[in-house]
Amino acid sequence: MNPVDVERFYAHVLKGPTPEACWLWMGAISDDGYGRFWFNTPAGQKVVSAHRFALATVHGGLEAIEDQTALHWCDVPLCVRASLQPNTHLLLGTASENMKDRALKGRMPSPNAARWRRLSRAERASRSRHLREQLKQHGWDQGLIRQLVHDVDPHHPTLF
């Protein structure tokens, strides 16, 4: 991967202050609520999901992960925290593993799933863009992020 592209990519990432925090994409957001990153190739400009680009930076490039799917451990569409360490939020897997992960975490559309997990593409995009704008205005604010990502009152106490 071109080091200039990698540096430019991470210039659009807001890293959370704790070792377990998400790294949130602050760049372009597509209509599905996930980040998008453009870079130049010998064949011309290419666009890729921000989370896939992040995975590519630690797994040997886009060609190395071409046949694999990105799984979000944290379920935050704007998270791009990829590493080879146990604290990674992005994992490589198959489409089947992604569907199993989706079902285990209750992201399948159903009457019992949490409201925020059943968002349409447009609602997810709107929520992601709103989160990005709030982060640009206020910086990292855990209560605000909790509210916008999980639809939880920021003043509601946590269990742990």
Side-chain angles (χ1 to χ4, degrees), residues 2 23-24 39 45 60 86 93 99 110 116 119 121 126 142 151:
N2 181 336
W23 296 353
L24 298 175
F39 60 99
Q45 198 172 52
M99 294 306 290
S110 76
W116 66 273
L119 297 175
R121 286 173 58 96
S126 176
Q142 191 61 40
D151 200 23

Side-chain angles (χ1 to χ4, degrees), residues 2-142:
N2 181 336
V4 172
D5 289 331
V6 174
E7 183 178 334
R8 191 170 55 84
F9 174 83
Y10 282 105
H12 295 287
V13 175
L14 178 62
K15 293 182 179 181
T18 63
E20 68 280 349
C22 289
W23 296 353
L24 298 175
W25 178 250
M26 302 293 287
I29 298 173
S30 70
D31 289 341
D32 63 1
Y34 290 90
R36 291 291 182 257
F37 182 67
W38 282 262
F39 60 99
N40 291 318
T41 70
Q45 198 172 52
K46 182 174 180 159
V47 63
V48 66
S49 297
H51 58 277
R52 284 195 67 77
F53 191 88
L55 279 165
T57 67
V58 298
H59 288 285
L62 288 166
E63 300 80 22
I65 66 168
E66 189 174 315
D67 297 330
Q68 297 183 41
T69 300
L71 287 75
H72 272 89
W73 171 83
C74 60
D75 292 331
V76 177
L78 294 183
C79 185
V80 294
R81 184 176 189 147
S83 76
L84 298 176
Q85 304 302 315
N87 64 353
T88 187
H89 287 206
L90 299 173
L91 304 165
L92 289 173
T94 65
S96 176
E97 289 169 333
N98 197 31
M99 294 306 290
K100 287 177 189 173
D101 181 62
R102 179 180 172 193
L104 285 171
K105 291 180 179 175
R107 290 190 319 262
M108 304 293 280
S110 76
N112 299 324
R115 186 179 66 82
W116 66 273
R117 290 185 172 164
R118 291 184 285 131
L119 297 175
S120 70
R121 286 173 58 96
E123 290 169 322
R124 189 171 55 238
S126 176
R127 184 172 285 189
S128 290
R129 290 180 181 126
H130 182 65
L131 173 59
R132 178 191 60 195
E133 295 312 309
Q134 292 300 306
L135 291 169
K136 285 181 179 181
Q137 288 179 19
H138 304 286
W140 191 276
D141 178 330
Q142 191 61 40

